[in-house]
Amino acid sequence: MIRLFVRHEVADYNTWLKAYHDFDGERRGFGVVGATLGRSVDNGNDVTVTHDFGSLDEAKAFMSSPRLKEAMEAAGVSGIPTIWFTEVV
């Protein structure tokens, strides 16, 4: 299993969270089989998300999706996210 980590700043956490949940069906369509959400204890608009995939190819396809980029922009993501992939062991 591949776990994708994405950390980014958002303009407003509550607005972002609604948009995140609204995108759930599309996210699952990209192969996401599990997810977690976290917020920095020092800054509630600093968000880290994990998504689990069956393969690295699925995870990379998800991250390169123009639709995901649109959804992130509409959700108020600011700046360039920090992204990394791990293999769950």
Side-chain angles (χ1 to χ4, degrees):
M1 179 181 303
I2 299 299
R3 182 160 291 152
L4 162 69
F5 289 80
V6 179
R7 181 178 180 197
H8 49 62
E9 287 267 340
V10 298
D12 176 78
Y13 176 77
N14 291 324
T15 300
W16 172 85
L17 184 61
K18 181 182 180 325
Y20 178 85
H21 288 304
D22 289 347
F23 195 68
D24 188 55
E26 289 185 67
R27 193 170 33 256
R28 296 208 181 276
F30 279 103
V32 174
V33 296
T36 63
L37 306 177
R39 296 169 74 181
S40 169
V41 296
D42 297 321
N43 174 359
N45 290 324
D46 179 348
V47 179
T48 300
V49 179
T50 70
H51 292 120
D52 294 336
F53 296 85
S55 73
L56 182 58
D57 288 341
E58 286 178 320
K60 287 183 175 182
F62 174 70
M63 286 309 302
S64 66
S65 163
R67 180 65 188 111
L68 175 62
K69 183 178 179 182
E70 292 170 7
M72 290 175 71
E73 288 174 359
V77 172
S78 57
I80 299 172
T82 302
I83 300 165
W84 66 100
F85 302 92
T86 65
E87 183 176 9
V88 177
V89 294

